[in-house]
């Protein structure tokens, strides 16, 4: 059975989505989960874009062993050098370099003629090949490029040493029939095509990214580039989980395999959603919360008699196993550590102790501690930044009544170690909390977005708060969870402020270095 390589670009193209800003610890955690999922290649970032991105890509390259790690580079030497600096520690150093090839991009963006574009592409690939054994070349906006020109540039970069050629539908303009035909045309007309892999990279502007990717596979693509939950610029990229499950469920038709561990799909999807703060739509294929829900009486009757009447995908296939009670309040530290490791978490002793303390507090108040609860607790500790002085919430109390003005009192430990307590009012409980915290953090805060949702089911479920705010001129997103949504909201507020303080320290270090 022919293997299709899965190239995941959640940490590069996915992170370019508006409002997503992952820190290094969060990127590493997602990369480790992608490795457990079994993706072939992880595009960890764009090292030349910032020192922080270079650092994150480098750490991922040192951490991940079972997936190939790559970084993006424009077709210029400095970008390729940045990727080499970040990736050289990897098991199989891989670089992904690109240049635009469509007439509109060449004329208006690059201001180069076709011959100049080919020359720059060849120079970049030759230079990359001196450092990397695996060199992927992307013809940006490839679908809207002239077919004969694509043949020319593909042939030249193959001679220069490219091992993979990606033909992206960068603006999501293609139809499946057209996109598949383009791959077939290149396979049949590019001299040396048998020496390299062809890769598909589709955006979802017209809602056809997955269909276009499948059409490319049918017509000779050996690799498909995608993201978890379909994240990406504008309308997003092709969704990895949909492609992986489709190839598995319809292997009778496609006859391909991916090497993915499909049981890790649900956990990967939830982790990416939680860390990026991007909610998964309920009717999202494969991973939406309604993906296995049946409202119609006819459907329910059929599923009770035989699940296959209406379910072509079993929940167990993607790791949607029903584990209502994972641990209880009498569970010890050893059992907690064992469960954390089974779930794929590797925490330091200090972080494990903090997570265990949070678990015990929750277990005292909650009848059932579910896998979703544990994932939330462990993830928050896994991606937390240690040894950085930040704001810490000690307590929050709200006085509210329909006839009274809501008043919030909060106590916070400042980065300097000082305990401060203040009170403030607002038109509602949440506003009162935010007004109080704004005084405590000592800066101008504008709330851009705020939402609360439950983690799991039941009246005693954890509440997760996500807040997007502007603090001293910089935008930041914070999140936290607690059984009380007001406590979760206060913690999320401080988390957003703390993330901005961390970024400020990074900016100051970079300024000193420069």
């Amino acid at each position: 059975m022919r293997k299709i390589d899965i190239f995941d670009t959640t940490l590069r193209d996915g992170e370019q989505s508006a409002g997503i800003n992952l820190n290094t610890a969060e990127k590493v955690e997602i990369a480790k989960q992608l490795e457990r999922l079994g993706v072939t290649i992880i595009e960890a970032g764009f090292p030349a874009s910032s020192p922080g991105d270079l650092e994150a890509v480098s750490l991922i390259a040192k951490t991940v062993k079972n997936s190939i790690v790559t970084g993006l580079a424009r077709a210029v030497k400095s970008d390729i050098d940045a990727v080499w600096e970040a990736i050289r520690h990897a098991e199989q150093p891989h670089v992904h370099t690109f240049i635009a090839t469509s007439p509109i991009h060449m004329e208006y963006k690059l201001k180069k003629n076709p011959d100049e574009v080919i020359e720059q592409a060849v120079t970049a690939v030759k230079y990359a090949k001196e450092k990397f054994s695996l060199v992927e070349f992307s013809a940006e906006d490839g679908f809207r490029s002239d077919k004969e020109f694509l043949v020319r540039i593909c042939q030249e970069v193959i001679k220069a040493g490219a091992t993979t050629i990606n033909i992206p539908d960068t603006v999501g303009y293609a139809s499946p029939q057209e996109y598949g035909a383009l791959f077939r045309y290149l396979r049949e007309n590019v001299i040396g095509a048998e020496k390299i892999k062809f890769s598909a990279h589709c955006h979802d502007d017209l809602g056809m990214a997955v269909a276009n990717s499948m059409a490319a596979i049918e017509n000779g693509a050996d690799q498909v580039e995608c993201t978890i939950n379909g994240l990406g610029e504008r309308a997003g990229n092709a969704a990895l989980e949909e492609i992986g499950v489709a190839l598995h469920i319809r292997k009778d038709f496609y006859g391909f395999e991916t090497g993915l561990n499909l049981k890790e799909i649900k956990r990967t999807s939830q982790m990416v959603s939680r860390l990026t703060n991007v909610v998964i739509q309920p009717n999202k294929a494969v991973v939406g919360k309604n993906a296995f829900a049946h409202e119609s009486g006819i459907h329910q009757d059929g599923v009770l008699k035989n699940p296959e009447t209406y379910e072509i995908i079993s929940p167990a296939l993607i790791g949607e196993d029903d584990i209502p009670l994972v641990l209880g309040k009498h569970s010890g530290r050893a059992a907690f550590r064992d469960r954390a490791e089974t779930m794929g978490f590797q925490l330091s002793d200090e972080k494990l102790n903090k997570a265990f303390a949070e678990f015990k507090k929750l277990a005292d108040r909650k009848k059932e501690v579910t896998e979703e609860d544990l994932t939330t607790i462990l993830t928050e500790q896994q991606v937390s930044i240690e040894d950085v002085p930040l704001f810490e919430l000690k307590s929050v109390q709200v006085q509210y009544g329909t006839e009274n003005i809501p008043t919030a009192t909060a106590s916070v430990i400042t980065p300097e170690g000082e305990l401060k307590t203040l009170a403030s009012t607002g038109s509602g409980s949440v506003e009162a909390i935010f007004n109080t915290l704004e005084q405590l953090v000592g800066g101008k805060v504008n709330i851009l977005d705020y939402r609360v949702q439950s983690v799991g089911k039941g009246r005693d479920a954890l509440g997760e708060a996500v807040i997007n705010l502007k603090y001293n001129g910089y935008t930041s997103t914070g999140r936290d969870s607690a059984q009380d949504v007001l406590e979760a909201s206060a913690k999320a507020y401080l988390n957003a402020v703390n993330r901005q303080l961390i970024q400020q320290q990074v900016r100051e270090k970079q300024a000193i270095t420069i």
Side-chain angles (χ1 to χ4, degrees):
M1 194 175 282
R2 181 172 143 224
K3 183 173 185 295
I4 301 300
D5 288 338
I6 300 297
F7 180 115
D8 182 276
T9 183
T10 302
L11 295 172
R12 200 275 302 172
D13 208 338
E15 205 212 0
Q16 290 176 199
S17 302
I20 295 179
N21 184 20
L22 298 167
N23 62 35
T24 297
E26 290 165 339
K27 289 180 180 180
V28 171
E29 192 59 30
I30 290 174
K32 287 159 62 178
Q33 182 58 34
L34 291 172
E35 182 182 26
R36 286 190 287 270
L37 178 60
V39 304
T40 312
I41 300 171
I42 299 172
E43 188 167 49
F46 189 178
S49 66
S50 71
D53 219 34
L54 191 151
E55 177 192 6
V57 175
S58 179
L59 187 54
I60 290 169
K62 293 174 183 175
T63 303
V64 171
K65 303 301 179 185
N66 297 319
S67 297
I68 296 169
V69 178
T70 191
L72 186 69
R74 292 166 297 183
V76 295
K77 289 185 176 180
S78 58
D79 278 24
I80 294 168
D81 287 339
V83 175
W84 176 247
E85 183 180 347
I87 297 290
R88 59 185 176 181
H89 314 285
E91 296 286 309
Q92 292 180 272
H94 183 296
V95 64
H96 178 197
T97 187
F98 73 96
I99 193 169
T101 56
S102 65
I104 190 171
H105 277 240
M106 289 190 290
E107 180 180 355
Y108 293 100
K109 188 178 78 172
L110 300 179
K111 301 187 185 302
K112 293 179 181 290
N113 63 46
D115 289 335
E116 290 173 324
V117 169
I118 289 178
E119 181 182 1
Q120 184 174 342
V122 168
T123 299
V125 171
K126 282 184 177 178
Y127 183 69
K129 192 65 174 179
E130 294 174 4
K131 300 173 179 289
F132 298 86
S133 58
L134 300 173
V135 178
E136 175 172 333
F137 170 76
S138 277
E140 186 187 8
D141 204 21
F143 176 74
R144 295 196 298 174
S145 302
D146 176 76
K147 289 197 296 184
E148 293 303 321
F149 179 65
L150 276 182
V151 169
R152 283 182 58 202
I153 198 168
C154 285
Q155 289 177 168
E156 293 304 317
V157 296
I158 289 172
K159 292 177 187 175
T163 54
T164 301
I165 294 178
N166 180 36
I167 309 296
D169 179 22
T170 303
V171 296
Y173 184 70
S175 70
Q177 184 177 4
E178 293 173 304
Y179 196 59
L182 178 58
F183 277 81
R184 185 168 61 251
Y185 179 83
L186 295 174
R187 274 287 182 202
E188 293 172 352
N189 290 277
V190 171
I191 298 172
E194 73 283 353
K195 300 177 184 177
I196 56 98
K197 290 191 302 183
F198 274 107
S199 182
H201 180 117
C202 299
H203 282 262
D204 207 35
D205 297 71
L206 295 178
M208 294 189 282
V210 171
N212 287 338
S213 299
M214 302 300 282
I217 292 170
E218 289 182 77
N219 287 276
D222 306 290
Q223 176 177 290
V224 61
E225 307 189 2
C226 39
T227 61
I228 300 298
N229 299 335
L231 293 179
E233 288 195 276
R234 305 184 312 280
N237 289 45
L240 182 152
E241 62 278 0
E242 295 178 25
I243 293 172
V245 171
L247 288 174
H248 174 79
I249 295 294
R250 292 310 312 276
K251 58 190 171 189
D252 61 317
F253 177 79
Y254 292 106
F256 306 136
E257 63 179 1
T258 61
L260 292 174
N261 179 4
L262 298 180
K263 282 189 173 292
E264 292 291 337
I265 280 182
K266 186 68 174 182
R267 183 176 296 167
T268 309
S269 171
Q270 290 178 331
M271 174 184 289
V272 170
S273 174
R274 183 171 289 114
L275 295 183
T276 59
N277 301 312
V278 176
V279 177
I280 303 167
Q281 66 190 67
N283 63 326
K284 171 78 169 63
V286 180
V287 293
K289 69 177 183 180
N290 290 347
F292 303 104
H294 301 278
E295 180 70 20
S296 163
I298 295 173
H299 286 214
Q300 291 174 347
D301 180 63
V303 168
L304 288 172
K305 291 173 178 175
N306 185 338
E308 293 184 9
T309 53
Y310 287 101
E311 286 184 359
I312 61 169
I313 309 167
S314 72
L317 177 68
I318 64 166
E320 182 79 60
D321 295 321
D322 185 19
I323 309 176
L325 183 60
V326 179
L327 293 172
K329 65 180 181 180
H330 299 298
S331 299
R333 195 180 309 272
F336 183 79
R337 179 190 290 274
D338 180 71
R339 186 60 186 160
E341 292 175 352
T342 300
M343 294 171 66
F345 291 93
Q346 295 176 329
L347 279 73
S348 66
D349 288 342
E350 182 179 353
K351 286 189 174 184
L352 186 76
N353 288 338
K354 290 180 179 179
F356 183 68
E358 290 298 316
F359 158 72
K360 294 296 275 188
K361 284 195 293 185
L362 182 62
D364 281 336
R365 299 194 300 262
K366 201 170 185 289
K367 291 181 180 179
E368 295 182 346
V369 179
T370 67
E371 182 131 344
E372 288 177 318
D373 295 330
L374 283 184
T375 299
T376 300
I377 292 170
L378 292 166
T379 300
E380 291 302 329
Q381 287 300 324
Q382 186 86 307
V383 301
S384 65
I385 306 297
E386 294 179 320
D387 303 323
V388 177
L390 301 170
F391 288 102
E392 179 186 349
L393 181 72
K394 293 302 291 181
S395 67
V396 61
Q397 185 173 345
V398 177
Q399 291 180 317
Y400 172 79
T402 55
E403 302 297 327
N404 301 320
I405 298 175
T407 303
T409 304
S411 295
V412 167
I413 297 178
T414 68
E416 295 75 30
E418 181 183 356
L419 178 64
K420 287 187 175 182
T421 302
L422 287 173
S424 187
T425 61
S427 57
S429 299
V430 173
E431 186 184 20
I433 291 172
F434 290 171
N435 288 342
T436 304
L437 293 177
E438 183 175 11
Q439 296 180 64
L440 288 167
V441 300
K444 179 63 178 175
V445 179
N446 293 321
I447 307 299
L448 305 177
D449 187 32
Y450 164 72
R451 63 180 183 269
V452 176
Q453 63 184 22
S454 67
V455 177
K457 303 174 183 178
R459 66 176 62 190
D460 60 354
L462 282 173
E464 184 174 60
V466 177
I467 184 168
N468 183 238
L469 54 76
K470 183 174 284 188
Y471 176 55
N472 290 336
Y474 291 96
T475 301
S476 181
T477 299
R479 66 179 179 278
D480 215 310
S481 58
Q483 273 198 297
D484 188 302
V485 295
L486 296 179
E487 179 186 352
S489 300
K491 288 181 176 179
Y493 185 105
L494 292 180
N495 180 249
V497 171
N498 286 336
R499 288 169 71 93
Q500 194 51 250
L501 292 178
I502 293 169
Q503 288 300 314
Q504 182 179 335
Q505 292 180 22
V506 172
R507 289 192 293 270
E508 290 172 353
K509 288 180 182 178
Q510 291 172 1
I512 293 172
T513 303
I514 294 171

